[in-house]
Amino acid sequence: MTSLKDELTVDDLIVEYMLYKMGNGYEPSFLTSEFLHFLQYFESKQKVGDSLYDGKQLFERFFARKAEKDWYKIVDWHTLDRAFIPRMDMIYSEKDNDFLIKANYQFTYENTYFKKHGKKEEIKNIIQEFLKNKPKRKIDESIKVDDDESAIGKYYAVEIIKQIWDCYVRGLIEIHQWPEQCRDINKFLLEIDLAPIIGLVSPKSNFLELYQVISRRIAILYHQDKKLKISQSGMPLAEANYKLLISGYEKMFNIAFGDYKKSLSIDLEKMTFRETHEVAGFYDWWDDTDTVTNTISVGSEQSLKLVRSLDGNQN
């Protein structure tokens, strides 16, 4: 239920609060006590309809309403039987003695009261004020990953590295600063560092650092979430994971995955890696019929060879 009598309700506020947290670098979750503090803060500035101040009751009601009105799919069109498709999960945390509300990969951008009434910025500003001194999401580097998780992190990292290297070299070829035939990353970056030989600054240390960092980050995120998805668009949680993954390395990712370039989508539950790019010769970037998507085999022999080479070049 997105509104009662077309007024701003606490249900809409829950959705918008989670969306803001995901889109602005905070944890994609919150305790019910955190939300109740936010609700009180919000109500000091703007009226909210249908509020409850018992966290468990509030969210049980929220999930029941969503199951009835929004978060479901029809499984039988003859009987109109429905299946509840939750976009958040409610989990009891013994450590916090509270319920934790977590976004999942079914979560989508919803048409809440704020969008319908053009008050998105007004609401966003209040959420921003409330969260401004709260810590943002970080990769927990203290986590110990096992050998399988480490390997998976490396497999996905090399696919990303290959995409960035291909775009880097292609850009130099287009301005006649790199030999057309010298595209192989193993031969012309890791075995022989061609760039300084032809008078260019070597990118080798940047690529080695990027590989080391993102392979570790992917392994940690996968350790925490075996359904891990990382994407630039489509799912708020996957988008938040992408921003977290590339933090501090945006410039290098932008070589391949910037605006109007390739689009990255990783699904570690299905073990898929996809990149989407425009078809050569087309210029209508908003028309998805002018794009092509390649699904890449993760852990191929070529990728394993690159993993070994990159590992062998680490100091």
Side-chain angles (χ1 to χ4, degrees), residues 1-13:
M1 179 173 290
T2 55
S3 65
L4 295 175
K5 298 180 181 178
D6 204 32
E7 66 179 355
L8 167 57
T9 71
V10 70
D11 287 8
D12 282 332
L13 201 55

Side-chain angles (χ1 to χ4, degrees), residues 62-63 66-67 69-72 83-88 110:
F62 170 74
F63 279 98
K66 285 295 186 182
K69 297 291 185 180
D70 296 315
W71 294 354
Y72 68 86
F84 178 39
I85 310 294
R87 298 178 188 176
M88 302 182 200
E110 298 190 15

Side-chain angles (χ1 to χ4, degrees), residues 86-238:
R87 298 178 188 176
M88 302 182 200
D89 300 308
M90 183 172 176
I91 304 164
Y92 183 72
S93 169
E94 291 189 4
K95 175 175 71 74
D96 300 295
N97 190 28
D98 196 358
F99 285 93
L100 183 68
I101 311 301
K102 299 180 65 175
N104 62 42
Y105 295 106
Q106 299 296 326
F107 199 104
T108 58
Y109 297 101
E110 298 190 15
N111 186 27
T112 62
Y113 170 93
F114 312 122
K115 294 184 180 71
K116 291 185 288 184
H117 293 267
K119 295 188 177 183
K120 182 75 173 178
E121 287 303 311
E122 178 183 340
I123 306 308
K124 185 177 78 172
N125 289 338
I126 298 175
I127 300 174
Q128 183 180 38
E129 289 170 10
F130 178 77
L131 290 172
K132 65 182 178 182
N133 295 320
K134 302 291 193 295
K136 294 206 171 184
R137 185 184 182 194
K138 292 182 179 179
I139 301 275
D140 185 353
E141 295 288 348
S142 68
I143 288 177
K144 294 182 179 180
V145 299
D146 63 30
D147 290 344
D148 287 342
E149 292 162 345
S150 178
I152 286 170
K154 291 178 179 182
Y155 296 158
Y156 280 93
V158 297
E159 298 302 339
I160 292 170
I161 292 292
K162 284 193 292 184
Q163 297 293 326
I164 295 174
W165 168 259
D166 287 346
C167 290
Y168 170 78
V169 169
R170 188 181 307 118
L172 291 175
I173 290 172
E174 288 175 357
I175 58 174
H176 309 292
Q177 291 189 4
W178 192 271
E180 171 78 30
Q181 70 275 23
C182 299
R183 296 172 180 262
D184 188 287
I185 186 172
N186 263 315
K187 288 182 180 179
F188 302 107
L189 180 71
L190 301 176
E191 294 175 10
I192 299 171
D193 189 357
L194 181 62
I197 296 173
I198 60 176
L200 299 178
V201 175
S202 172
K204 184 174 181 178
S205 63
N206 291 334
F207 276 95
L208 290 175
E209 180 182 339
L210 183 66
Y211 165 73
Q212 187 174 40
V213 170
I214 63 173
S215 62
R216 170 76 176 153
R217 288 181 178 180
I218 292 171
I220 291 171
L221 291 172
Y222 182 60
H223 175 88
Q224 295 174 309
D225 178 7
K226 290 299 187 286
K227 295 182 179 180
L228 179 65
K229 294 177 176 57
I230 301 170
S231 178
Q232 288 169 277
S233 62
M235 295 177 288
L237 181 53

